[in-house]
Amino acid sequence: MYQAFLPNEFRFDLSQPKFQAAFDFLRRKDLGQLPEGWVELERGVRASVQRYTTSPAAELDFETHEKYFDVQYMVDGVELVGVVDVRDLAGKIPYDPENDIAFFYDPEHSGAVLLRAGDFVVLSPQDAHKPRCAAGAPMAVKKIVVKVPV
């Protein structure tokens, strides 16, 4: 989490009720059995249950969202999530307000977070991220992305 470096409008407090709704959901014991798709929670929070096979990072793009924080939680599998400040990127596909997403070219330098089963990362609108990256060979994963309104 990069709270200390975020502009004021993107600072967050994980004790806020909207984040508590996200983490209460992620504490469920049946996450592994949930079907793919959207789950509507409270306070405008919603969760996307996803199953996919990770891909080589070179085949994927960095993305950002303006309306939501992402809480990306790995249920099963391993993946790398590239992370870099959006101010360090050149735009590739302009922001689509209907889908709340913009895509960017890779920068010269970026970091990455390794997510294993039970790990999560909180990403703000300032955090460009490249999810679904293979950590070694591509593998099947189950991940839940909880969208928390800004």
Side-chain angles (χ1 to χ4, degrees):
M1 294 179 290
Y2 307 101
Q3 180 173 352
F5 306 106
L6 296 175
N8 285 334
E9 68 266 27
F10 297 128
R11 291 185 191 273
F12 57 96
D13 175 355
L14 294 179
S15 68
Q16 292 176 333
K18 62 187 179 182
F19 282 104
Q20 286 306 302
F23 289 112
D24 286 348
F25 175 78
L26 293 174
R27 285 186 193 97
R28 290 176 53 158
K29 301 292 185 212
D30 66 342
L31 295 177
Q33 287 72 49
L34 292 175
E36 289 182 78
W38 286 99
V39 179
E40 297 298 326
L41 305 174
E42 57 186 84
R43 301 181 184 279
V45 178
R46 56 194 214 139
S48 174
V49 180
Q50 306 172 359
R51 287 187 184 276
Y52 54 86
T53 300
T54 58
S55 299
E59 296 175 7
L60 303 167
D61 293 319
F62 278 91
E63 62 186 58
T64 60
H65 314 286
E66 293 183 9
K67 299 175 186 173
Y68 294 93
F69 293 91
D70 271 6
V71 180
Q72 298 199 8
Y73 178 84
M74 187 60 61
V75 177
D76 188 39
V78 179
E79 100 176 19
L80 281 171
V81 178
V83 181
V84 67
D85 189 303
V86 70
R87 295 174 289 189
D88 295 336
L89 299 179
K92 183 174 186 179
I93 299 175
Y95 179 70
D96 174 356
E98 184 175 325
N99 293 306
D100 187 39
I101 197 164
F103 293 98
F104 299 85
Y105 291 103
D106 281 0
E108 184 176 348
H109 302 287
S110 64
V113 175
L114 180 67
L115 293 181
R116 293 186 172 115
D119 292 344
F120 70 92
V121 63
V122 178
L123 301 159
S124 81
Q126 190 72 30
D127 298 320
H129 50 284
K130 184 194 283 197
R132 300 180 175 230
C133 298
M139 71 165 36
V141 301
K142 182 171 189 176
K143 184 166 81 174
I144 298 175
V145 178
V146 182
K147 298 292 201 171
V148 179
V150 172

